[in-house]
Amino acid sequence: MSVYLPVFHILVSVSVNMILELISFSGLFLGAVSSPSSPAPSSPPTASSVEGRCRIYNSGQSADCRGRQLDFVPWRQFPVTLESIDLSYNVLHAISAADFQNLPQLHTLLLQFNNISHIDNDAFKNNPLLEHLNIFNNSLQEIPASPLTSVLNLKYLDMSNNLYKHVTLADSFSKLVRLKALSMGGPLVMGLKKNDFHSLKNIELQSFAIKCSSNLSYYEPGSLEVIQTKQMRFDMAIDQRPNALHHILHDLSNKTLSLIQFRNLFEFTYYMGEEDIFLNLKYVRAFQLIFHRGKFNENLLRMALLNLQVTPIKWLRLQYIDFARSPTFVDNGAGSSITNLALDNLDLW
Ligand SMILES: *[C@@H]1O[C@H](CO)[C@@H](O)[C@H](O)[C@H]1NC(C)=O
Ligand SMILES: *[C@@H]1O[C@H](CO)[C@@H](O)[C@H](O)[C@H]1NC(C)=O
Ligand SMILES: *[C@@H]1O[C@H](CO)[C@@H](O)[C@H](O)[C@H]1NC(C)=O
Ligand SMILES: *[C@@H]1O[C@H](CO)[C@@H](O)[C@H](O)[C@H]1NC(C)=O
């Protein structure tokens, strides 16, 4: 077994009895150092002296309007040659039909960290080349299906962290056949329904990310079954609905994934149930599994590792996890030990 420790990063090639030991050990100091602090969020740039003016560069192909306190899109400043515009970290509240109508070359539009609650249906009508649209962290109360699904070239769409309560995608999303990366959901999404992603069923994604409320209230079996993707990222806490994990993992079975990531799987409480909620991990084919933040006790970890023994998953990463012992855990010696786990990589950050 080899262990190295560059800045709290332990990489181990292991026999597994040592994992639990290592984890109790690392819980002592890694937990203390890393779990309370998330990676620092990138802070908005300070207001520029040329407030309101965008910087046009790259021979008129790019506009930098980031962090300028803009409450409307300054479209009169935009040369017709623009291909990429960064309007992030402003205070925009709406996108209107006029804003980008004279930009036939536009392919990248960054609108994250504004306060957008409305997008006109015709907002992107004259932007047939638009392929990268970021509206992360805005105030949309509905998924703006009409404007989004008129952009047939869309490849990267991040519309997560908005204020919509349901993630049901309109049928028209099936037109976005070039979509590669889709990120959606937000703090008010209480759960997933069986037909939410039906319109994606013929689209081959590279990456799919879903965020729900930290109080997940429902997960209808089959909700994620239709999604075809290489990478699947969850940001949903199942504290109130631990059994949802059964159905989630069942929906992932028979897919071939390169990565599955769970962020904050248990956000506020340690799982105290007896039932093995990782049972369906057995049927999941993936290259790498990442648990990012959240609470893991011994018992939950053991359930995960037990089932990992029989999966093709060979790379496990546990980062910024809050580990705890399970004081009531009784090792009855039968079936409780992990004797056959062979990982190529185990990362504990
Ligand atoms: C965002 O817009 C809403 C109205 O849509 C308003 O009530 C709220 O104060 C705005 N928030 C910020 C930070 O400007
Ligand atoms: C957007 O980001 C701010 C600052 O990080 C956060 O307070 C707010 O809750 C976020 N909005 C949504 C809808 O996630
Ligand atoms: C979580 O949501 C349920 C409804 O599904 C509600 O009864 C409960 O009070 C909520 N719990 C928390 C901690 O917000
Ligand atoms: C995966 O395949 C197994 C065996 O063919 C089947 O029992 C199971 O229901 C399938 N899972 C899904 C989600 O289709």
Side-chain angles (χ1 to χ4, degrees):
M1 147 154 178
S2 58
V3 175
Y4 74 92
L5 260 165
V7 206
F8 301 114
H9 172 187
I10 308 180
L11 181 75
V12 193
S13 164
V14 245
S15 85
V16 155
N17 271 340
M18 312 203 70
I19 292 181
L20 287 174
E21 274 169 41
L22 243 172
I23 280 168
S24 337
F25 162 66
S26 66
L28 285 176
F29 72 98
L30 280 184
V33 172
S34 51
S35 57
S37 59
S38 47
S42 57
S43 51
T46 49
S48 142
S49 53
V50 283
E51 200 163 285
R53 292 300 300 180
C54 301
R55 185 172 67 95
I56 310 295
Y57 63 108
N58 200 6
S59 317
Q61 292 175 39
S62 307
D64 172 9
C65 318
R66 184 180 156 104
R68 283 169 167 74
Q69 308 287 322
L70 295 166
D71 61 1
F72 63 93
V73 175
W75 55 272
R76 286 172 215 279
Q77 298 178 26
F78 294 156
V80 68
T81 46
L82 277 186
E83 296 180 6
S84 138
I85 307 180
D86 183 351
L87 278 157
S88 62
Y89 295 100
N90 283 293
V91 289
L92 302 175
H93 43 82
I95 298 299
S96 72
D99 291 345
F100 307 112
Q101 70 174 351
N102 297 320
L103 306 174
Q105 308 296 325
L106 188 66
H107 64 63
T108 297
L109 180 56
L110 305 181
L111 296 168
Q112 66 269 31
F113 294 98
N114 277 282
N115 191 20
I116 298 165
S117 57
H118 175 80
I119 300 181
D120 268 2
N121 287 349
D122 289 343
F124 309 121
K125 195 180 61 179
N126 295 328
N127 315 116
L129 303 183
L130 188 59
E131 61 175 49
H132 185 155
L133 177 60
N134 192 331
I135 41 178
F136 176 83
N137 196 289
N138 274 281
S139 301
L140 295 166
Q141 297 192 17
E142 305 281 342
I143 293 174
S146 292
L148 295 179
T149 62
S150 67
V151 194
L152 300 181
N153 200 41
L154 215 49
K155 297 190 176 78
Y156 307 93
L157 173 59
D158 187 343
M159 53 167 163
S160 87
N161 289 46
N162 272 273
L163 300 178
Y164 46 85
K165 297 189 168 119
H166 302 282
V167 287
T168 313
L169 291 175
D171 290 344
S172 53
F173 274 88
S174 63
K175 292 190 289 185
L176 301 183
V177 294
R178 299 191 178 157
L179 210 53
K180 298 218 167 317
L182 174 62
S183 176
M184 55 188 301
L188 304 185
V189 176
M190 300 307 292
L192 304 184
K193 291 209 168 84
K194 180 142 171 57
N195 288 322
D196 281 350
F197 307 118
H198 201 69
S199 49
L200 299 178
K201 73 174 191 298
N202 294 320
I203 301 178
E204 272 186 50
L205 296 172
Q206 295 293 322
S207 118
F208 177 82
I210 179 75
K211 177 181 171 73
C212 289
S213 150
S214 47
N215 180 12
L216 186 78
S217 297
Y218 58 91
Y219 180 89
E220 288 186 9
S223 300
L224 291 167
E225 200 181 327
V226 293
I227 295 194
Q228 307 182 50
T229 185
K230 294 287 167 225
Q231 305 186 352
M232 180 80 96
R233 290 184 173 80
F234 296 91
D235 185 349
M236 56 168 78
I238 59 170
D239 301 42
Q240 311 288 327
R241 288 280 179 282
N243 286 331
L245 192 59
H246 262 316
H247 301 299
I248 292 172
L249 293 174
H250 181 262
D251 287 349
L252 300 187
S253 59
N254 307 338
K255 297 184 190 302
T256 300
L257 294 144
S258 58
L259 169 74
I260 303 172
Q261 174 169 315
F262 290 98
R263 183 188 167 95
N264 270 333
L265 190 60
F266 284 88
E267 189 171 9
F268 304 111
T269 54
Y270 294 98
Y271 175 61
M272 301 303 282
E274 307 256 297
E275 196 182 349
D276 180 356
I277 53 176
F278 278 109
L279 201 60
N280 285 336
L281 193 57
K282 281 197 180 74
Y283 308 108
V284 174
R285 290 192 298 264
F287 178 69
Q288 187 182 16
L289 177 62
I290 298 179
F291 293 106
H292 178 89
R293 305 182 75 193
K295 298 190 178 299
F296 266 71
N297 55 14
E298 240 174 317
N299 213 14
L300 184 68
L301 187 63
R302 191 172 290 264
M303 287 170 187
L305 296 180
L306 263 177
N307 292 294
L308 272 174
Q309 292 184 115
V310 293
T311 65
I313 298 171
K314 292 285 170 262
W315 187 348
L316 174 64
R317 175 176 296 172
L318 296 153
Q319 56 194 29
Y320 311 112
I321 298 287
D322 175 357
F323 289 112
R325 305 300 302 235
S326 291
T328 58
F329 179 73
V330 182
D331 186 351
N332 63 12
S336 60
S337 303
I338 297 136
T339 53
N340 196 25
L341 179 61
L343 294 171
D344 292 335
N345 284 291
L346 170 65
D347 304 332
L348 300 175
W349 298 17

